[in-house]
Amino acid sequence: MPIPIFDPFHTPGGALKRVPLLKAAVAFIAAVCLCLCGLLYLQLEQSRRYDLESARVASANLTRAMAQQAQDTFLQTDLVLASLADWMQIDGFGPALQPRLQATFSRRVQSLEQLHGLFLFDKHGQWVITSFENLHRGPGIADREYFTFHQQNASLIAHIGPAIRSRQNGEWIIPVSRRLNDQDGNFQGVLLAGIKMSYFDQFFKSFSLDDKGEMVLALSNGILLARRPFDEAKIGRSLLQDPVFQHESQSITSDNTAIRSVVDGVLRLYDHQHLQAYPLVVTAAMSEEAILASWHDRAFQSILIVALVVLGICLFGWVFLRQVRNSERIEADLRKAQEALELIATHDSLTGLANRRLFERALDIEFGRGARQRSPLSLVMVDIDFFKRYNDTYGHVAGDHCLAEMAKVLKSCCHRKADLAVRYGGEEFAVLLPDTNLQGAMALAEQIRQRVIDTHITHSGSPIGYLTVSLGCYAFVPSSLDSIEVFIQRADAALYQAKHGGRNRVAALSSEGGLDPLERSDR
């Protein structure tokens, strides 16, 4: 049975607990860093969504304001046209009434800021009356889209046509026109109000919008009427193939989404709304770059701060792990030193066998176990014959070598882990055999005696010319009343019997105190 040795540095499970400590430290540091990065990501993502949502709300408010302004503008113009059309439908616009109508046209234009002018054309597209004092009679407007529309459609509702340049002064205007019929319902002419495009341009500029933002007023069929920033080349262009307008055309009233422009590649947040009373749509767009400009600044600061914190944690963790590894190395060194000290304290330095201290501890343990289990315990005492003569003849160095060879023999004969070979003192050795009766002890003793002879160590001081040993055996079943000292004395008495019986033999003492009849020797 192995002899347990107390080691304060090698506690049960200690080796298993140290490995998880390193892993736990690394996992903890990694978890803290990941949590910080995760929290930063969640915070930045939440902040980004908040900024985009705020921009969507602002964009929706902007489009509602644009839609309301556009509807009010066209409604006021339509009311003016409707009142004038009703008047002329009843009284006509003969030469006698034209001066009065011209004055009325002029007053109405002056009362509405958005109006460029009011114009009346006959059924052939020729100029009849304008709000300008000096009537400019050009080639006529029979080729204009609005004139052709009313000429071919009997509807009396207002018609909004594509933006055109006024032939009066070349200014860009948005035409709003109504058809005039005679009393029989036949086409009689067209009443036109021109809305200044500059009016919408000034209105668009009243809003705070980034340089890459966009504001658009267009017909429902996709024809561009007004835009910020103003680009004359795009006026009158169809937006039907534009991804933005295609998205708008799928919505009934209003919607917003982020779309990347195919023209300049800028990602914008678009919102659009269709006017309920007129076939018009307004669109407002803010670039995502401008929307998230402040968010990018906050994100950079937050990332920098978290990066510094993570770096600090990593540096601290690196130092901590180095300390843990150093502690492991120190503990391993201490454990080795403890094991070396334990070996020194419990084993003989010359032979490597257990010393008397370990022998006494083992005896105490085996006595208790034997008493509990009622199992036999044996002890074999071994003494080298004529060892003093050997030292005197060959010297102490040869004597030490002889003791070492004797230790090898004892180790080779102790096959069980529970067997304990001990250097008892000087040239005397002992073998403790748990769970072994007297016959087993005698057999092992005889094996040791024969193995020593087989080593053929020359000993001129011995009567037979080579090294021999004498052995004494004692075995019994210990109890709580038995004494360890008596146990050793009886084995020693058996050894005394073997030495005084002629040496080079095995003697045993029975548990009754007499000499065992199974005494063996080479004579």
Side-chain angles (χ1 to χ4, degrees):
M1 178 181 181
I3 306 302
I5 300 173
F6 174 72
D7 184 356
F9 296 99
H10 194 273
T11 57
L16 295 178
K17 291 180 181 177
R18 175 60 65 191
V19 174
L21 177 61
L22 278 173
K23 293 182 178 179
V26 172
F28 176 76
I29 294 170
V32 170
C33 294
L34 288 176
C35 286
L36 286 175
C37 294
L39 289 175
L40 174 63
Y41 172 78
L42 291 177
Q43 186 269 331
L44 291 179
E45 182 63 19
Q46 185 179 10
S47 176
R48 180 178 178 273
R49 290 180 180 178
Y50 176 79
D51 287 354
L52 288 175
E53 185 61 30
S54 298
R56 287 189 177 96
V57 173
S59 180
N61 292 335
L62 178 59
T63 54
R64 280 195 293 269
M66 291 173 58
Q68 187 63 50
Q69 178 68 18
Q71 183 149 308
D72 292 344
T73 299
F74 284 95
L75 179 60
Q76 291 172 357
T77 303
D78 189 20
L79 290 175
V80 170
L81 290 178
S83 63
L84 292 175
D86 291 341
W87 181 16
M88 287 183 285
Q89 192 77 29
I90 298 173
D91 298 339
F93 48 88
L97 294 176
Q98 289 182 4
R100 184 179 174 187
L101 287 173
Q102 196 279 327
T104 302
F105 280 15
S106 180
R107 287 195 304 269
R108 295 295 176 86
V109 170
Q110 292 176 3
S111 65
L112 293 179
E113 180 184 1
Q114 69 266 28
L115 288 182
H116 163 73
L118 290 170
F119 308 89
L120 176 62
F121 305 97
D122 62 18
K123 61 181 178 181
H124 302 293
Q126 297 300 316
W127 299 72
V128 179
I129 305 171
T130 71
S131 57
F132 298 97
E133 292 183 0
N134 298 320
L135 177 62
H136 173 74
R137 294 187 178 275
I141 49 90
D143 59 333
R144 293 290 198 184
E145 181 272 341
Y146 57 87
F147 185 84
T148 304
F149 175 84
H150 290 299
Q151 194 177 38
Q152 297 175 356
N153 293 273
S155 174
L156 297 179
I157 63 174
H159 170 71
I160 303 174
I164 58 175
R165 282 189 178 275
S166 173
R167 289 176 177 172
Q168 187 71 25
N169 57 11
E171 183 179 358
W172 278 102
I173 62 172
I174 300 173
V176 182
S177 57
R178 275 182 174 269
R179 174 184 169 116
L180 296 177
N181 291 336
D182 57 17
Q183 294 180 353
D184 296 328
N186 297 317
F187 178 65
Q188 192 67 19
V190 173
L191 181 61
L192 172 70
I195 298 178
K196 293 182 289 187
M197 190 179 294
S198 59
Y199 173 79
F200 285 103
D201 189 51
Q202 292 298 321
F203 173 70
F204 290 162
K205 289 180 180 179
S206 65
F207 292 95
S208 178
L209 198 65
D210 61 277
D211 294 338
K212 295 183 179 180
E214 189 177 48
M215 300 174 75
V216 169
L217 173 65
L219 295 171
S220 294
N221 61 6
I223 301 300
L224 179 65
L225 298 179
R227 180 181 182 272
R228 175 189 173 187
F230 179 76
D231 187 352
E232 186 173 334
K234 294 183 179 181
I235 300 301
R237 194 191 74 173
S238 175
L239 302 177
L240 286 177
Q241 301 304 318
D242 195 304
V244 177
F245 193 84
Q246 287 181 356
H247 176 81
E248 291 172 356
S249 63
Q250 296 171 4
S251 179
I252 298 175
T253 55
S254 66
D255 191 15
N256 54 51
T257 187
I259 299 176
R260 187 173 299 278
S261 173
V262 296
V263 177
D264 53 15
V266 176
L267 185 64
R268 294 185 177 92
L269 182 67
Y270 286 89
D271 187 275
H272 69 275
Q273 184 168 338
H274 291 263
L275 274 64
Q276 296 179 352
Y278 300 98
L280 297 170
V281 60
V282 292
T283 299
M286 292 182 286
S287 66
E288 189 176 82
E289 179 182 344
I291 295 172
L292 298 178
S294 60
W295 177 83
H296 283 113
D297 293 338
R298 296 195 305 272
F300 175 77
Q301 295 173 0
S302 299
I303 292 173
L304 181 61
I305 293 172
V306 171
L308 292 176
V309 173
V310 169
L311 179 61
I313 292 174
C314 291
L315 289 175
F316 171 79
W318 178 73
V319 173
F320 176 74
L321 292 177
R322 281 181 59 88
Q323 291 297 324
V324 171
R325 292 192 181 98
N326 290 337
S327 298
E328 279 189 330
R329 286 193 291 269
I330 293 172
E331 189 170 319
D333 292 341
L334 289 175
R335 187 178 291 110
K336 290 179 181 178
Q338 177 68 18
E339 292 172 353
L341 289 174
E342 184 69 23
L343 186 64
I344 292 172
T346 58
H347 290 74
D348 178 64
S349 60
L350 176 63
T351 62
L353 299 177
N355 60 16
R356 291 188 64 169
R357 177 181 296 179
L358 183 57
F359 177 60
E360 291 169 358
R361 287 162 55 181
L363 274 175
D364 187 61
I365 293 171
E366 296 299 342
F367 254 67
R369 190 178 68 86
R372 289 191 304 272
Q373 300 179 1
R374 303 299 300 164
S375 59
L377 180 65
S378 298
L379 179 63
V380 178
M381 299 295 291
V382 184
D383 186 76
I384 301 176
D385 296 330
F386 306 110
F387 186 70
K388 186 176 182 305
R389 294 180 187 179
Y390 189 91
N391 268 342
D392 293 341
T393 303
Y394 300 102
H396 290 285
V397 175
D400 291 344
H401 177 72
C402 178
L403 293 174
E405 290 295 322
M406 184 65 195
K408 291 180 181 179
V409 171
L410 293 179
K411 290 178 181 178
S412 66
C413 293
C414 295
H415 302 293
R416 299 183 306 169
K417 290 183 178 181
D419 298 340
L420 180 66
V422 181
R423 184 182 180 187
Y424 196 73
E427 71 277 11
E428 194 170 359
F429 300 85
V431 181
L432 182 63
L433 303 170
D435 294 323
T436 304
N437 57 21
L438 186 61
Q439 286 75 19
M442 291 283 291
L444 179 65
E446 178 60 26
Q447 182 182 2
I448 293 172
R449 189 189 69 83
Q450 189 61 47
R451 191 73 60 87
V452 172
I453 293 174
D454 293 341
T455 57
H456 300 294
I457 299 176
T458 303
H459 185 2
S460 60
S462 172
I464 59 176
Y466 51 86
L467 192 71
T468 60
V469 292
S470 299
L471 304 98
C473 304
Y474 178 72
F476 82 129
V477 178
S479 68
S480 59
L481 301 178
D482 291 315
S483 168
I484 293 177
E485 289 77 8
V486 173
F487 177 67
I488 297 174
Q489 288 173 6
R490 289 185 178 179
D492 196 55
L495 175 62
Y496 180 80
Q497 293 288 346
K499 292 176 70 68
H500 285 270
R503 292 186 173 85
N504 188 26
R505 67 187 61 217
V506 177
L509 194 67
S510 67
S511 57
E512 289 79 15
L515 189 65
D516 193 280
L518 299 175
E519 181 177 339
R520 303 178 183 179
S521 63
D522 283 349
R523 303 184 185 278

